[in-house]
Amino acid sequence: MEPGGASQRSGRSAETCWRGHIVRQLKHRDRSQNAMFQDLIRFYTQLLEKTSLTKGRLSRCPSTYGGASLSSLLQQNSELKKTTGELAYQVVELQQQIGSKECVLQEQRARLQEEESRLTDAFDERQALQGRVEQVKVENRRQKTEYDALLERQSRVESRLREEKVQEEHKLEDMMYLKKQAAAHMNICNKRRSRARQATLQKELQTAAKSKVTVDSSSSAPSSRSTSPKADPQDESSRRAPACLFRSVSATSQRNRASFFPSLHLFERKRRSYSVSLEEDQLFPVGVCLSARVPARALQVLEAHEEGINAVRFSFGSDLLATGGTDRVIKVWEVRAGSLTHRTTLDGSTEGITCVEFDPTGRRILASSYDRSALLWQLDASVPKVTLTGHSRKVTAARFTCIPHQVVTGSQDRTVRLWDLHRAACVQQVEAGSYCTDLVCSESSIISGHYDSKIRVWDQRAVSCVQELPAQGRVTSLDLSSDRRQLLSCCRDDCLQLMDLRRWSNERVCFRAEGFKCGSDSTKAVISPDCSYLAAGSADGAVYIWNISTGSLETRLPDKHRASISAVSWSLTGEYVISVDKSRRAVLWSDI
């Protein structure tokens, strides 16, 4: 049965009850008032009857009465008239009272009608509210059903999440175990190859020592080298090095520039380790830039990777270039006559590459990865030689320190770690307090940029923070000048800041330009090798170059990138600038 019908029936029954009550009140009032006037009416009727009888008697037999009787009758008649008048007056008063009572009754009836209308409106409103209550109850039941379903779904999802976490931990443990086994196997193989090469070299040295060499004092150096093909390569390099390393620079300038490059090894030395073979068995000259060229045009535009490119770096000899992208590989390119030629591809990372760097010899490449590790490759090997694992989140920066066979890494897990490549193990770990975005290394310090808009300086010997420098925004990259005296920072406030490391007074020069915008939290900016210019890529796909001495924008290189530029690198010879973007494009720039 419908709720509305029940409400109507209840309203009708209430209305019938009110009407019956009013009728009963009226009947009661009629009975009570009629009883009040009943005696008066009966007495009045009796008087009228007596009066009529007396008049009849007098008219029928007037002689039978005496004078006294007539006078008494007249007196009685007058008294009756007087009584009748009083009774009539009382009747009039009672009629007036009845009229006033009827007015009151009419007012009460009007008020009763008003109350009945208000009661009807109240009943209608009550029915509407009851309908709304029913709707709310239905909606509450529906929402309760959905809530119960969501709770059940949440419990299932949480259980699945716990299972996935357990599986992830198991897989991570399995992966770490497999990596350890692979690293141990690789170390054994490298040790065997090293011993074989050492034995071969010893045999060659013994053969060379047994051979007879005739030295003519009048002969030139080339002829003596031709007569002894097994001469010591270090002697040969000592004769050739000054000419190829420093061109026509004076000895004094050579000594000064050598002090500016304390971390650059002019020649590789042969070293052996216990578990990791890190070989340095060839001479590698380092070029010196006296004056960097401001690029003016694009020499080559190529699609370097299958996905976006995150990092790029020239080697110290400027003849090689490495790019790393989200496609999980590092590609090595040869730079010849203003063009890039693909040389090799380095695999081994399970996720995207965030940072790449050559060692000073140009024979090894260090990279950081989203897979929470840092990897080290030999240039001629496609698989990593060393894998450094231990960070709990992605590694954003990995750099060679000035100490041989030691690297430093920074990660999103808010730690900075120092690694020994001999043992492939972490030797120091510090809590940085914020997500580390980039690192650079000087002679005795490690400088890190962070997401909390601070630059922290660490003592490399104790790995402790010695100073915090505030930045104007989240730091996206750091770069040291070639003389290790100036530090460049790029921040998300679209500003490049250059500070002198010899003055820790927070005095810095800001470089801005109209249209320049830092495109991401990992945008990399660089200082030119002659410390005269700054270069950075913008979100609009253009390369901006500032003049340090004037503080103004030197040039803007547009129209070659179709996405935000993620990194730039300047060759140490000062001849080339390379820029890469998120749309897998690399552009080689020069003034040629």
Side-chain angles (χ1 to χ4, degrees):
M1 187 176 292
E2 297 293 334
S7 301
Q8 291 178 359
R9 287 196 299 275
S10 62
R12 291 171 186 167
S13 61
E15 184 177 359
T16 304
C17 181
W18 274 97
R19 288 179 180 177
H21 180 68
I22 292 170
V23 170
R24 287 193 297 274
Q25 285 183 348
L26 292 174
K27 289 181 179 180
H28 177 70
R29 188 195 67 176
D30 290 340
R31 286 194 299 270
S32 61
Q33 291 181 359
N34 192 9
M36 291 171 59
F37 294 101
Q38 192 69 30
D39 294 337
L40 180 62
I41 293 170
R42 187 172 55 254
F43 183 67
Y44 180 69
T45 304
Q46 290 175 1
L47 286 177
L48 289 177
E49 290 176 353
K50 288 180 181 181
T51 303
S52 62
L53 289 174
T54 302
K55 287 182 178 180
R57 289 174 184 174
L58 290 176
S59 61
R60 284 197 302 270
C61 44
S63 59
T64 58
Y65 296 96
S69 300
L70 182 61
S71 60
S72 63
L73 287 173
L74 291 172
Q75 186 177 0
Q76 290 178 0
N77 191 15
S78 62
E79 290 178 356
L80 287 173
K81 288 182 179 179
K82 184 178 180 181
T83 305
T84 303
E86 291 177 355
L87 291 175
Y89 181 74
Q90 291 179 1
V91 169
V92 172
E93 287 183 349
L94 290 174
Q95 287 180 350
Q96 290 180 354
Q97 291 180 2
I98 289 171
S100 63
K101 293 292 184 181
E102 287 180 352
C103 292
V104 173
L105 181 61
Q106 292 294 333
E107 291 179 357
Q108 289 181 352
R109 286 176 180 174
R111 289 179 59 187
L112 180 61
Q113 290 179 356
E114 291 179 358
E115 294 295 333
E116 286 179 351
S117 63
R118 289 178 59 186
L119 180 62
T120 303
D121 295 339
F123 274 117
D124 295 339
E125 186 175 359
R126 178 174 175 271
Q127 291 176 0
L129 290 175
Q130 284 180 348
R132 290 183 58 186
V133 167
E134 292 297 330
Q135 292 178 358
V136 170
K137 287 181 178 179
V138 172
E139 183 67 20
N140 287 339
R141 285 194 294 269
R142 184 184 63 81
Q143 291 184 355
K144 180 66 167 55
T145 304
E146 293 180 355
Y147 177 72
D148 294 337
L150 288 175
L151 283 179
E152 185 178 358
R153 183 180 177 184
Q154 181 186 4
S155 62
R156 291 198 302 267
V157 171
E158 287 180 350
S159 62
R160 286 178 56 190
L161 178 61
R162 288 192 293 269
E163 292 176 358
E164 293 291 337
K165 285 185 177 179
V166 172
Q167 292 180 2
E168 181 183 1
E169 292 177 356
H170 290 331
K171 289 182 179 179
L172 182 61
E173 291 177 358
D174 295 340
M175 184 179 68
M176 295 294 294
Y177 178 71
L178 292 176
K179 280 189 175 182
K180 288 180 180 179
Q181 285 186 339
H185 179 69
M186 189 180 300
N187 292 335
I188 293 172
C189 294
N190 292 333
K191 191 173 182 180
R192 290 175 180 173
R193 294 195 202 100
S194 177
R195 289 176 179 174
R197 282 193 293 268
Q198 186 177 7
T200 304
L201 182 60
Q202 288 179 355
K203 291 181 180 179
E204 291 178 354
L205 290 176
Q206 291 176 0
T207 304
K210 292 178 182 179
S211 62
K212 295 181 180 181
V213 179
T214 303
V215 180
D216 189 359
S217 61
S218 63
S219 62
S220 60
S223 62
S224 64
R225 285 195 299 270
S226 62
T227 55
S228 72
K230 300 297 182 177
D232 190 357
Q234 293 185 357
D235 295 338
E236 183 178 357
S237 63
S238 63
R239 289 190 294 268
R240 292 185 302 176
C244 64
L245 287 177
F246 302 101
R247 299 176 184 172
S248 60
V249 187
S250 64
T252 304
S253 63
Q254 291 175 14
R255 287 192 297 270
N256 294 336
R257 197 163 294 275
S259 65
F260 294 162
F261 291 84
S263 64
L264 306 183
H265 301 280
L266 296 181
F267 304 103
E268 296 182 278
R269 294 189 299 261
K270 194 172 188 68
R271 293 176 179 263
R272 305 288 176 180
S273 63
Y274 296 102
S275 61
V276 180
S277 175
L278 302 172
E279 299 178 2
E280 304 171 1
D281 52 4
Q282 291 186 3
L283 300 177
F284 196 85
V286 176
V288 176
C289 175
L290 300 179
S291 178
R293 301 177 181 178
V294 178
R297 67 184 186 90
L299 300 180
Q300 187 177 5
V301 179
L302 72 159
E303 304 293 330
H305 285 255
E306 296 180 359
E307 298 180 19
I309 308 174
N310 300 326
V312 62
R313 181 74 66 171
F314 277 101
S315 66
F316 284 83
S318 301
D319 59 338
L320 294 177
L321 176 73
T323 57
T326 55
D327 55 358
R328 302 178 295 182
V329 299
I330 295 176
K331 291 190 177 182
V332 181
W333 310 81
E334 292 183 353
V335 184
R336 293 181 180 177
S339 65
L340 299 178
T341 304
H342 182 258
R343 174 173 174 174
T344 185
T345 299
L346 306 179
D347 299 314
S349 176
T350 58
E351 295 187 30
I353 302 297
T354 59
C355 174
V356 295
E357 186 178 40
F358 283 92
D359 75 333
T361 66
R363 306 296 298 174
R364 294 176 296 169
I365 295 178
L366 178 66
S368 58
S369 171
Y370 281 95
D371 64 359
R372 300 177 288 185
S373 68
L375 305 101
L376 181 69
W377 285 268
Q378 290 285 356
L379 189 60
D380 297 330
S382 60
V383 296
K385 197 175 189 67
V386 180
T387 301
L388 306 176
T389 58
H391 284 286
S392 60
R393 298 185 66 181
K394 74 175 182 180
V395 182
T396 54
R399 304 290 183 192
F400 289 101
T401 66
C402 296
I403 300 176
H405 311 303
Q406 193 176 80
V407 298
V408 62
T409 58
S411 169
Q412 278 190 349
D413 62 4
R414 302 182 178 185
T415 63
V416 175
R417 300 192 179 203
L418 200 62
W419 304 82
D420 183 4
L421 294 181
H422 284 300
R423 297 179 291 166
C426 177
V427 294
Q428 289 284 347
Q429 174 184 339
V430 292
E431 296 292 334
S434 177
Y435 162 18
C436 178
T437 55
D438 201 4
L439 292 166
V440 291
C441 298
S442 62
E443 288 81 1
S444 60
S445 301
I446 299 171
I447 306 174
S448 58
H450 296 271
Y451 194 79
D452 62 353
S453 304
K454 289 183 180 179
I455 299 172
R456 293 176 170 85
V457 183
W458 309 84
D459 185 353
Q460 186 171 341
R461 293 163 295 184
V463 193
S464 60
C465 184
V466 296
Q467 191 168 9
E468 285 188 358
L469 305 175
Q472 295 183 355
R474 298 195 299 269
V475 181
T476 65
S477 73
L478 298 175
D479 190 37
L480 275 179
S481 61
S482 57
D483 56 7
R484 308 297 188 195
R485 296 180 179 180
Q486 292 178 311
L487 176 68
L488 173 66
S489 63
C490 180
C491 302
R492 285 309 300 268
D493 63 343
D494 307 327
C495 175
L496 274 66
Q497 293 185 345
L498 189 66
M499 67 180 69
D500 194 337
L501 296 181
R502 296 169 296 180
R503 306 172 187 168
W504 296 106
S505 57
N506 292 336
E507 295 182 1
R508 57 193 76 185
V509 182
C510 295
F511 297 85
R512 297 180 182 271
E514 183 178 358
F516 174 75
K517 185 174 180 60
C518 185
S520 68
D521 290 338
S522 59
T523 300
K524 299 296 188 291
V526 295
I527 308 175
S528 66
D530 64 346
C531 306
S532 298
Y533 303 99
L534 308 178
S538 174
D540 61 1
V543 179
Y544 289 75
I545 298 178
W546 288 267
N547 191 312
I548 294 179
S549 59
T550 62
S552 60
L553 185 67
E554 183 75 16
T555 185
R556 179 178 179 271
L557 307 173
D559 304 332
K560 296 301 179 182
H561 289 280
R562 54 175 179 251
S564 174
I565 297 177
S566 55
V568 294
S569 182
W570 208 312
S571 65
L572 290 184
T573 59
E575 186 176 1
Y576 302 108
V577 172
I578 184 75
S579 58
V580 295
D581 63 25
K582 298 294 185 180
S583 66
R584 68 189 182 183
R585 177 170 289 186
V587 181
L588 184 65
W589 307 86
S590 183
D591 66 337
I592 301 175

